[in-house]
Amino acid sequence: MIILERVYNFNAGPSAMPLDVLKEVQAEFLDFNHTGMSIVEISHRSAAYQDMQDDTIAVLKRLMHIPEGYHVIFMQGGGSMQFLMHGANFLKTRGGYLNTGVWSDKAMKAASYYGEVYEVASSKEDHFSYIPDESTFTVKDGTDYVYMTSNNTIHGTEWKTFPHVDVPLICDMSSDFLSRPVDVSQFDYIYAGVQKNVGPAGVVVGIIKDDMLQKARENLPAMLSYRTFVEHDSTYNTPPVFCIYFVNRVLHWIENQGGLQAIQKRNEKKAAIVYDAIDRSQGFYTGHATKDSRSLMNVTFNLGNADLEKEFVAAGARQNLIGIKGHRSLGGCRASIYNAVTEEACQALADFMDEFRKQH
């Protein structure tokens, strides 16, 4: 008999997936929906695949209350491809960026191949430790869109409310996608790499407003054009079949948990457990993000010095607390507590933090 030992997984992405979903995928891996084939063997032109993709879109629309006039598409290439694609499609005069972290910074640089880019607001000078207030925004005339990142995985900050601007709003929601309810109608294009909350690395979900699509540049190679993915129902080329199937199962799991309001409530409770361990440490742990900008998904913090942080990560690993080393560009420590990370895991981390502090 094989004994299954699962660790507490705090990796930033690819990251923890719901155990119930992993078991479901395992159980039906050899025979998808009574086809006699694995999901990784079926044709993307088959009715079995199309039914699954249609169901995936339908569940996502229910969960997010996506209004009429929006298209849901599936793409490859990850967030890094989206950094290029959004500029290729929509940057004609100038693009404005809410620069709150490494990924928005990279998106701005990638889009600059297609036109002028500038910062509407930025927290870069303060090491991306906070979310800028809307009162500091400067949107230039002739701006095609404002681009933002809803949650900053590396620095551990998150937009608590979304800004209102008078131009189209584009949002990279990769690292807090489906962690809370959002008003889709506030946005003209949302995209998310799924490898944080929703599935294995390999697919990006896009939610694009029809009015925005009509503004897209037309003289583009097919695989850089959002029109291609909308007009061909995401099957212009072979889509990442297994990834979309896995997303389907996670979406149903979220629905069975009570939907996004229930997920948000649980995520707030989990985050409070870990942040409380930081706040009661009397400076032993120092949070990177200002309290009003703290992410529910990525808890970032430092200890007194790099050697102590290294010891903290090693000691945590010995207690099956995996993935708590900070990103190489920031250092320190980070616990990513996405939807599938349990309250038990967060409590185990907080207890370890208390014990480690007492020992040092």
Side-chain angles (χ1 to χ4, degrees), residues 56-68:
T56 305
I57 293 172
V59 181
L60 184 64
K61 286 183 174 180
R62 289 200 302 268
L63 283 170
M64 296 188 73
H65 302 289
I66 298 174
E68 293 294 322

Side-chain angles (χ1 to χ4, degrees), residues 174-339:
S174 295
S175 59
D176 64 350
F177 189 54
L178 299 177
S179 68
R180 53 178 172 164
V182 300
D183 180 0
V184 174
S185 68
Q186 283 188 253
F187 303 92
D188 296 83
Y189 179 50
I190 294 169
Y191 75 83
V194 305
Q195 67 274 11
K196 315 289 188 179
N197 267 330
V198 201
V203 67
V204 170
V205 177
I207 305 169
I208 188 166
K209 193 174 184 178
D210 190 59
D211 290 349
M212 188 68 165
L213 188 68
Q214 301 311 312
K215 298 175 183 178
R217 184 180 281 113
E218 295 188 19
N219 57 334
L220 288 173
M223 289 302 290
L224 278 182
S225 173
Y226 292 124
R227 295 176 189 270
T228 300
F229 292 89
V230 170
E231 292 171 0
H232 293 269
D233 193 22
S234 303
T235 57
Y236 175 79
N237 67 328
T238 306
V241 172
F242 178 77
C243 295
I244 296 169
Y245 154 79
F246 201 108
V247 168
N248 177 281
R249 297 306 189 249
V250 173
L251 294 180
H252 280 286
W253 176 81
I254 292 173
E255 203 166 46
N256 291 336
Q257 300 302 304
L260 294 182
Q261 288 185 331
I263 289 289
Q264 179 183 26
K265 185 176 181 180
R266 190 172 72 175
N267 285 336
E268 289 172 343
K269 185 177 182 181
K270 286 158 41 183
I273 291 171
V274 184
Y275 283 120
D276 285 351
I278 294 173
D279 293 341
R280 64 173 171 259
S281 73
Q282 298 180 318
F284 186 81
Y285 303 108
T286 305
H288 176 76
T290 60
K291 288 188 177 182
D292 61 351
S293 298
R294 281 174 165 176
S295 168
L296 293 182
M297 298 285 95
N298 309 101
V299 182
T300 53
F301 56 96
N302 289 85
L303 284 74
N305 57 67
D307 288 340
L308 192 60
E309 289 167 352
K310 185 176 181 180
E311 185 178 348
F312 176 84
V313 171
R318 290 194 292 272
Q319 296 195 28
N320 284 340
L321 302 167
I322 304 301
I324 55 177
K325 182 180 179 180
H327 190 272
R328 60 187 180 277
S329 66
L330 185 65
C333 300
R334 171 178 59 180
S336 295
I337 51 176
Y338 299 121
N339 287 352

Side-chain angles (χ1 to χ4, degrees), residues 28-39 41-42:
E28 61 187 19
F29 189 72
L30 296 180
D31 183 8
F32 169 67
N33 199 23
H34 308 295
T35 61
M37 296 176 286
S38 171
I39 185 64
E41 297 175 302
I42 69 170

